[in-house]
Amino acid sequence: MTSTRRLVSSCSPLEPEIGFSRAVRAGPYICVAGTAPIAEGGGTAAPGDVYAQSARCLDIAEQALQEAGASLADVVRTRVMLTDIGQWRQAARAHAERFAQVRPVTTFIEVSRFVDPEWLVEFELDAIVPDLISLIPEVTGLATTAGRCYSGVRRYPDGGGLTAAERARREQVRLAAELIGPYRKETRFPPQ
């Protein structure tokens, strides 16, 4: 699997010291490491505020996902680690703002402390992105819906109340169509 392994860095000075990556993509699987509330200029973001720290953790994790070719809509599991489990609702509020439509499996865990005592929360994320093979039916126009086959690339209205997951899926199909386009045969099923 090493040929499809891709490392994503957040340029943390701890990455080479510890020997870790912010995220690793291996095929369709992406794991984002425990993400702490590091402020953009360094130091801790929003000391004492679990909600704001949670939002910052998720900002960093989302950027890592994007660099690995995924989005929040691809997340299947999150882990939320808190130094005070009594503050779980604050972390949950930030989590729900990002994942209300995606609804990954989630675990909240209390830990005794983090590397930096100002960190109140860390997030880990796991995502699975569809590979091109799984998108071929939609891209080539061969897809089944409600027991019927139809031809043509699936079209969605712009905006129109799409969930984040639906928008992400539409973008994945569009990108796959661009990649597959030169190799696509113009045959349709059923024959017309």
Side-chain angles (χ1 to χ4, degrees):
M1 193 175 295
T2 49
S3 64
T4 62
R5 186 178 165 97
R6 184 168 144 208
L7 307 179
V8 174
S9 173
S10 63
C11 300
S12 165
L14 294 177
E15 287 180 25
E17 181 180 341
I18 296 171
F20 81 99
S21 297
R22 171 62 38 225
V24 175
R25 179 172 182 165
Y29 304 101
I30 300 168
C31 298
V32 179
T35 304
I38 307 296
E40 285 194 37
T44 301
D49 185 338
V50 172
Y51 169 77
Q53 286 193 8
S54 296
R56 180 63 184 144
C57 292
L58 290 168
D59 288 343
I60 295 167
E62 182 175 14
Q63 182 178 354
L65 282 171
Q66 289 171 350
E67 289 179 34
S71 71
L72 291 176
D74 298 309
V75 173
V76 295
R77 173 184 291 274
T78 61
R79 292 173 201 85
V80 184
M81 295 158 281
L82 295 148
T83 57
D84 177 4
I85 202 69
Q87 297 292 316
W88 74 271
R89 287 190 187 276
Q90 295 304 313
R93 181 166 56 107
H95 187 279
E97 289 172 1
R98 310 287 176 104
F99 295 111
Q101 297 298 316
V102 180
R103 298 191 52 183
V105 296
T106 302
T107 303
F108 284 75
I109 306 161
E110 183 174 55
V111 297
S112 61
R113 65 181 176 220
F114 293 112
V115 172
D116 184 323
E118 288 190 321
W119 300 348
L120 305 175
V121 62
E122 280 193 12
F123 279 74
E124 290 182 353
L125 284 67
D126 296 326
I128 302 174
V129 294
D131 58 14
L132 289 177
I133 300 299
S134 71
L135 293 175
I136 285 176
E138 288 184 67
V139 172
T140 60
L142 302 176
T144 303
T145 180
R148 299 173 318 186
C149 288
Y150 65 90
S151 63
V153 176
R154 198 166 176 188
R155 304 278 183 214
Y156 295 86
D158 289 335
L162 294 177
T163 66
E166 290 168 333
R167 285 191 303 274
R169 179 68 173 178
R170 177 175 64 176
E171 181 63 10
Q172 290 168 343
V173 170
R174 187 190 68 73
L175 292 172
E178 285 179 17
L179 292 171
I180 294 172
Y183 308 102
R184 184 171 143 186
K185 292 183 178 179
E186 289 303 320
T187 57
R188 295 284 185 238
F189 179 83
Q192 299 171 352

